Amino acid sequence: MAASSGGSSGGTGSESNIPEYETPELNTRVFHVGSFGALWKSELRPEDLSLQAAAADSDEAVAEELSCPPELAAELRTVCRVDVLKISHKEDTEVIPEDTSLITLSIRQKALERREETIMIDRACRQETFIYEMDLYKSAFFYFEGIFYDDRRYPECRDLSSTIIEWAESRDRGYTNLQSTKMEDYTFNDLNVKIGFPYLYCHQGDCEHIVIITDIRLIHRDDCLDRGLYPLLTKKHWLWTKKCFVCKMYTARWVTNEDSLAPQDPSFFCDVCFQMLHYDTDGNKLGEFLAYPYVDPGIFN
């Protein structure tokens, strides 16, 4: 969904567009995003809204603020300016000196070694498959406040929401006035939403993701100003993959409890190791154990 400004203004007045909590500590009442932004713009100063780089303070101003001589303020500005504090792009951050005395680097070195030990052999293949499926099945929709925003940017996109709307209306399930529209005709400024309320993103036919808006603010000069990079990924939760306890190479497919053949409880096994350890060549069970199929959360990374 586009992130540019624009769209119609909503609400019956300025008070109706100010987020207030509907359920304490959970979510706000419905408000119009564009109107909320317009209210902030009417209250802030032009310099607060400007996306141009702020003018640097003089050495005298810095010296006065820090209560230090101007010479010291000038030296501080030289060694602590932003471009000096940033890591050089030419520097290889994956290579850490073995004799480093920095605790943070030592921790990072251990993390890199653990990542190398636990990396999955088939992760690259799975990622390629995922990208291929995303290109093949482009249909998707967002659901906000009774409206399905269907992705219809490509000729091969299907209307996924029509089936849901027909299902909801056919049996009087309590959902009335559900609507659908084209996602590409709207921006976030056009939406009526609640902060902290769970909404829905669906793609690949039935792959559903909960979408919760936790904060809304105006863009700042320190933000990324390249519109082409939005929506901007700021953090991705990574789930560690559980490996087989025997071969330590393949993803676990079975988990056992009260396993007389395993050193700990629970224990995790891939298909091959599970069969070789727990059954003989005729398929007879060896030892005592309880076994269950295991779906590793890491496969959804």
Side-chain angles (χ1 to χ4, degrees), residues 189-206:
N189 273 0
D190 300 319
L191 298 182
N192 291 288
V193 299
K194 300 176 183 178
I195 292 180
F197 190 83
Y199 294 108
L200 178 67
Y201 170 66
C202 179
H203 68 137
Q204 302 291 298
D206 60 355

Side-chain angles (χ1 to χ4, degrees), residues 122-134 236 238 299-301:
D122 61 339
R123 179 176 298 162
C125 298
R126 191 175 66 248
Q127 185 69 14
E128 291 177 1
T129 303
F130 176 74
I131 294 174
Y132 171 74
E133 291 179 348
M134 290 291 289
K236 181 178 180 180
W238 187 266
I299 68 174
F300 301 107
N301 285 331

Side-chain angles (χ1 to χ4, degrees), residues 43-263:
E43 297 294 328
L44 295 174
R45 302 172 300 172
E47 53 267 32
D48 296 326
L49 298 172
S50 175
L51 300 181
Q52 302 297 323
D57 295 331
S58 63
D59 292 343
E60 290 76 12
V62 174
E64 183 178 353
E65 184 175 354
L66 298 179
S67 300
C68 65
E71 297 79 10
L72 180 57
E75 183 179 354
L76 288 174
R77 290 186 60 185
T78 301
V79 298
C80 297
R81 66 181 189 271
V82 175
D83 58 330
V84 172
L85 296 177
K86 287 184 177 179
I87 297 177
S88 172
H89 292 294
K90 298 181 180 179
E91 187 174 336
D92 188 353
T93 56
E94 300 296 312
V95 178
I96 299 176
E98 296 181 358
D99 58 346
T100 179
S101 60
L102 296 177
I103 297 178
T104 53
L105 285 183
S106 300
I107 296 174
R108 178 169 176 77
Q109 177 66 39
K110 293 179 181 179
L112 291 175
E113 293 173 354
R114 184 168 61 250
R115 181 194 305 174
E116 185 175 353
E117 292 175 358
T118 58
I119 190 145
M120 288 179 52
I121 293 178
D122 61 339
R123 179 176 298 162
C125 298
R126 191 175 66 248
Q127 185 69 14
E128 291 177 1
T129 303
F130 176 74
I131 294 174
Y132 171 74
E133 291 179 348
M134 290 291 289
D135 291 337
L136 188 60
Y137 306 106
K138 293 183 170 65
S139 305
F141 68 76
F142 284 94
Y143 175 79
F144 294 101
E145 296 299 322
I147 301 178
F148 292 91
Y149 296 89
D150 290 290
D151 187 350
R152 305 303 297 272
R153 292 174 295 171
Y154 309 98
E156 58 269 32
C157 286
R158 298 174 55 191
D159 184 359
L160 297 180
S161 66
S162 59
T163 303
I164 301 174
I165 295 176
E166 291 174 3
W167 171 85
E169 295 177 348
S170 63
R171 301 293 181 88
D172 190 21
R173 302 179 186 275
Y175 297 96
T176 59
N177 300 323
L178 292 176
Q179 306 173 44
S180 65
T181 187
K182 292 183 179 180
M183 180 193 73
E184 55 269 27
D185 292 343
Y186 292 82
T187 70
F188 277 106
N189 273 0
D190 300 319
L191 298 182
N192 291 288
V193 299
K194 300 176 183 178
I195 292 180
F197 190 83
Y199 294 108
L200 178 67
Y201 170 66
C202 179
H203 68 137
Q204 302 291 298
D206 60 355
C207 185
E208 300 178 346
H209 301 263
I210 297 298
V211 176
I212 300 177
I213 300 174
T214 58
D215 186 25
I216 293 179
R217 62 175 176 82
L218 295 174
I219 194 168
H220 189 266
R221 65 175 65 94
D222 293 335
D223 292 322
C224 174
L225 302 181
D226 185 350
R227 289 191 178 188
L229 297 179
Y230 285 87
L232 191 66
L233 180 65
T234 58
K235 181 181 179 181
K236 181 178 180 180
H237 181 64
W238 187 266
L239 299 172
W240 288 105
T241 298
K242 184 73 70 175
K243 294 301 184 61
C244 172
F245 279 12
V246 178
C247 66
K248 301 185 183 302
M249 180 167 23
Y250 295 110
T251 305
R253 293 290 182 265
W254 293 90
V255 57
T256 62
N257 295 115
E258 303 176 14
D259 192 341
S260 61
L261 303 176

Side-chain angles (χ1 to χ4, degrees), residues 8 23 25-26 50 56 65 70 121 171 182 228 238 273 280 283 290:
S8 59
T23 306
E25 306 299 330
L26 293 179
S50 175
E65 184 175 354
I121 293 178
R171 301 293 181 88
K182 292 183 179 180
W238 187 266
C273 293
D280 60 22
L290 299 174

Side-chain angles (χ1 to χ4, degrees), residues 6-10 31-39 41 188-191:
S8 59
S9 62
F31 68 96
H32 186 260
V33 176
S35 300
F36 178 53
L39 284 175
K41 291 178 181 178
F188 277 106
N189 273 0
D190 300 319
L191 298 182

